[in-house]
Amino acid sequence: IKCVIHPPVNHFNKYTYCNVQGMMSKDMGYSARLKKSEEYSELKSSGFMFLGFAIFGFVYIGLNLAGVLNLLNGVFSYSVVTILFTAFVVLGISSLIKSKKVFPQIAAENELTQHINEWLDQNFDVAKIDEPSWSSYSDELLFFYRINKTKKIIQKQMGEMNEAYLDLILEEYYNEHVA
């Protein structure tokens, strides 16, 4: 975890934040729009599920080899099923390794999210954000315009951030406080 303390850009920016392995960069993998805690949970459960199926599969193969079950016949069938369940082991271990890499990023992301939410609590006001020309827009369109403008203001205050991450945080905040 690499935390970078940024000096305030102006009097609105009172907070510091952590740049956790590219969390602030535009190319960070937030395409699925998951928080790191959710990504960690999904990777961990996927890993255990793959490993569980692999164990079940190897028990199944073992029971067939022992003659308890007689559902696989021939070398080809055993080879295909063995390769399949070996792939499950590889996928399971890979998912668990990825989850261990994501885990340290959770605390820093939560801290950054808290700082953004605190800034929003102090500075977000629909009346200040809305443009006079927006008065005839539907609620759905207003949502996108407000999120976009707020995102630009936050990036001006706190520096460039991953847009998908910022969209996620702003949508959550907007839905809790405005909608």
Side-chain angles (χ1 to χ4, degrees):
I1 297 175
K2 179 182 175 187
C3 289
V4 179
I5 309 293
H6 295 276
V9 176
N10 58 40
H11 67 281
F12 292 112
N13 186 3
K14 300 174 186 170
Y15 303 111
T16 59
Y17 49 87
C18 292
N19 182 353
V20 181
Q21 298 175 353
M23 184 181 299
M24 303 298 288
S25 72
K26 290 186 176 222
D27 59 342
M28 181 68 173
Y30 274 93
S31 59
R33 300 180 77 142
L34 291 176
K35 289 186 175 182
K36 291 298 178 185
S37 58
E38 295 166 346
E39 182 181 358
Y40 170 75
S41 295
E42 286 192 11
L43 285 168
K44 191 173 178 181
S45 64
S46 295
F48 285 127
M49 187 159 340
F50 276 122
L51 289 175
F53 279 119
I55 291 169
F56 172 78
F58 287 124
V59 168
Y60 172 76
I61 292 169
L63 291 173
N64 274 284
L65 286 171
V68 176
L69 295 175
N70 198 10
L71 301 172
L72 294 175
N73 296 318
V75 176
F76 182 74
S77 296
Y78 281 104
S79 298
V80 169
V81 173
T82 302
I83 290 170
L84 174 72
F85 290 120
T86 302
F88 281 4
V89 170
V90 171
L91 289 170
I93 291 171
S94 173
S95 292
L96 291 175
I97 289 171
K98 286 179 187 176
S99 75
K100 286 185 180 182
K101 289 179 181 177
V102 169
F103 184 75
Q105 298 175 8
I106 295 172
E109 183 190 66
N110 289 341
E111 181 182 337
L112 176 60
T113 301
Q114 180 181 350
H115 287 313
I116 292 171
N117 283 328
E118 287 172 1
W119 185 90
L120 287 167
D121 286 339
Q122 294 174 2
N123 298 292
F124 182 79
D125 184 7
V126 173
K128 292 179 184 176
I129 290 176
D130 284 359
E131 301 283 336
S133 62
W134 297 355
S135 62
S136 63
Y137 294 167
S138 68
D139 289 341
E140 294 82 12
L141 195 54
L142 277 174
F143 168 81
F144 289 112
Y145 276 97
R146 288 171 178 161
I147 294 292
N148 234 2
K149 188 169 181 183
T150 306
K151 184 172 28 172
K152 288 177 185 175
I153 293 169
I154 289 175
Q155 287 179 328
K156 186 177 179 182
Q157 300 298 317
M158 297 184 185
E160 288 295 313
M161 292 186 200
N162 177 279
E163 291 202 19
Y165 165 73
L166 194 51
D167 282 339
L168 176 67
I169 300 307
L170 290 174
E171 287 176 21
E172 285 180 355
Y173 186 88
Y174 188 91
N175 289 330
E176 289 177 14
H177 294 87
V178 178

